Amino acid sequence: MVMPVLKCPYLAQLTLQQVRASAPNILNTGAESCPIFGQFVRKLSTTVVNNTASLNVSSSLSSMNFDDIKAVHENFLGRKTSNKVTIPTAINKTANSYGEIVISTECEDLLCPFLKTTPITLRRFNNEQHTNKIHQKLEKIINPIVNYTNLFQYNNFFDEKIEAKKRDNSYRVFKRVQRKSGLFPQAEEKKNLDDNKDSRTITVWCSNDYLGLGQHPKLKKAVIDAVTLHGSGSGGTRNISGTSPLHEKLEQQLAHLHQKESALLFTSCYVANDTTLFTLAKALPNCHILSDSGNHASMIQGIRNSHVPKHIFRHNDIEHLEELLKKLPKHIPKIVAFETVHSMDGSICNLEAMIDVAHAYGSITFIDEVHAVGLYGHNGAGIGERDHVLHKMDIISGTLGKAFGSIGGYIAGNARMTDFIRSYGSGFIFTTSMPPTVLASALAAIEVSMSDEGRSLRRKQQENVRELRSKLIDAGLPVIISPSHIIPIHVGDAALATLLCNHLLDRYSIYIQSINYPTVERGTERLRIAATPYHKSEMIDKLVDALKHVWQDIGLTLKDVEQQQQPILMRHHA
Ligand code: PLP
């Protein structure tokens, strides 16, 4: 097909994407007015297309000769040159792929003299504010055949859900905290993303870097050495190019720490819990799960997704657990899942008794030691080590992200069990393995944890926890008494808990995060404080003093020690 050698000056101003987008529309509705498209359509209609009803070329146009068209174009180009108009980049963004071109008013003069008279929509916008509206409109005109009135309104749905969170004060606004190496347990609050603006030093009382290992010189050196030697990422999943000697060393080290045959790494303990419980429950024939009512969301998720029958026992209530176990046939597989140190009320279960009951009824135990590893026991292996029952624990899960100062999770147990999860656990198999920096840091953390230094850090942490807890109680704050390092203060109202936390930060440069639903049940909202070995006595005094003030300032009352009540904890459950 021979086309006239006439470049369309209008299309030449558009991007290729815009030309592609507009061509079908011009062909369908504008060919009558455009000599270039007109030529094309006339040719097409006589050679290929029989039904040209929608491609009629107007007689006036077809009667124009090449020189006439060229003259019009030259006129058009002349005007364009004199106006020196450039097409703003916004145009590129707003051209859609359905034949409509969004064009700014500045470009009005660039409109093709022929197409100007056609029904083609050449939309205009005056400023940026209109862009969004245009986008919304474009979304609607994407396919004119579809009736958009009855379709699901996704954005409305999201808006409503977010509004509901805001209404019940459970909408989360993160505090922006920049940890500074060497400053722990202090850090910088960043009001502004810009590094140098509006930042100030605050004391952090809610970090899960319980021993401050995240800034330990040995961990930092391990990270630097690892990145120098091995670079950044791991390069793949464990199966495809992502298993290094560091992975295997760390798994051996973790198995050794927990006195187990084997350990398996995950990218977090959330993933470890979810994957392990899901995979086991799903695979074991007729499996039932017995789950503590206070279990963490990661366990709940795995249990829920497995769809196996579940039985929830009251938090750390051994009699209730036994009552439920008695009702189940002895021969079927059962998993009893619970935490040793509870993350939100700081309680510690009677580990040996729980395990013994579970075993007496033919269950295996899945025990989350996330808030205990690094912190309890001679080597920091957790409550299992402290209570000398490591040999009784079937599956232990732990994190590298809290007391071990890094990120990642793991399970430890017998070799057949870990090999089974390694072979069947989707959350283990189908994800990139942990990078060398993280592995090296975790190896260093465990080394510290198993050394005298680790023991001394744990001792100091416990001393500080004791000092803080007794001073808070003496001040009349409703401390939830717990035997662990976690000190919760009951507030019982999301808005008040948030207000307390904001006042502490704004007025006293103290950061304690309020804990609201869904992390805890509604009505049990609290402040959760974690003292580390590095909090000084003066910091403790300053905290207690500040808390007393903000507590009263927002209308809450301080109580005598005897009057203090403890709320019953029940975490949401599957
Ligand atoms: N288990 C408990 C009890 C937790 O509190 C958490 C996290 O806060 C996890 C598991 C998940 O651990 P990770 O942070 O490594 O994903």
Side-chain angles (χ1 to χ4, degrees), residues 219-440:
L219 272 74
K220 289 196 289 185
K221 182 172 182 316
V223 169
I224 292 164
D225 289 351
V227 80
T228 309
L229 281 172
H230 310 296
S232 170
S234 77
T237 62
R238 287 293 293 272
N239 189 42
I240 308 175
S241 176
T243 293
S244 71
L246 284 174
H247 289 92
E248 293 184 27
K249 270 190 201 161
L250 181 54
E251 285 174 341
Q252 279 175 14
Q253 181 83 307
L254 288 165
H256 175 58
L257 175 71
H258 290 285
Q259 298 171 26
K260 292 290 169 199
E261 284 176 5
S262 168
L264 196 65
L265 284 169
F266 293 80
T267 45
S268 73
C269 191
Y270 185 104
V271 180
N273 284 352
D274 178 16
T275 304
T276 307
L277 281 169
F278 170 82
T279 311
L280 275 176
K282 197 98 187 134
L284 290 168
N286 301 319
C287 182
H288 283 235
I289 292 205
L290 294 103
S291 176
D292 187 291
S293 67
N295 272 348
H296 187 257
S298 51
M299 287 193 264
I300 295 171
Q301 187 74 358
I303 295 168
R304 184 189 278 151
N305 284 345
S306 73
H307 296 295
V308 305
K310 61 176 184 284
H311 313 270
I312 296 156
F313 57 95
R314 287 187 292 275
H315 181 45
N316 285 348
D317 187 333
I318 297 166
E319 278 88 52
H320 192 209
L321 170 63
E322 183 160 22
E323 207 180 299
L324 295 174
L325 280 168
K326 268 185 191 158
K327 293 182 188 153
L328 298 173
K330 253 192 163 177
H331 69 278
I332 60 166
K334 295 171 280 289
I335 303 168
V336 177
F338 55 95
E339 297 167 30
T340 53
V341 174
H342 192 271
S343 63
M344 288 300 145
D345 70 1
S347 59
I348 301 182
C349 70
N350 184 345
L351 182 55
E352 185 162 26
M354 293 274 265
I355 298 173
D356 286 348
V357 166
H359 286 171
Y361 292 87
S363 317
I364 52 166
T365 50
F366 180 95
I367 304 169
D368 176 313
E369 287 255 49
V370 160
H371 293 273
V373 292
L375 303 177
Y376 298 89
H378 187 68
N379 295 302
I383 299 298
E385 188 187 26
R386 186 199 74 172
D387 293 359
H388 308 288
V389 291
L390 282 173
H391 61 288
K392 290 190 174 186
M393 299 163 84
D394 300 301
I395 305 170
I396 298 168
S397 76
T399 185
L400 303 169
K402 301 191 194 292
F404 290 143
S406 183
I407 190 165
Y410 61 91
I411 54 168
N414 81 37
R416 272 162 290 183
M417 181 278 296
T418 54
D419 199 20
F420 169 77
I421 301 295
R422 189 184 71 87
S423 310
Y424 287 89
S426 183
F428 173 84
I429 298 171
F430 297 104
T431 189
T432 302
S433 67
M434 289 206 292
T437 44
V438 167
L439 302 167

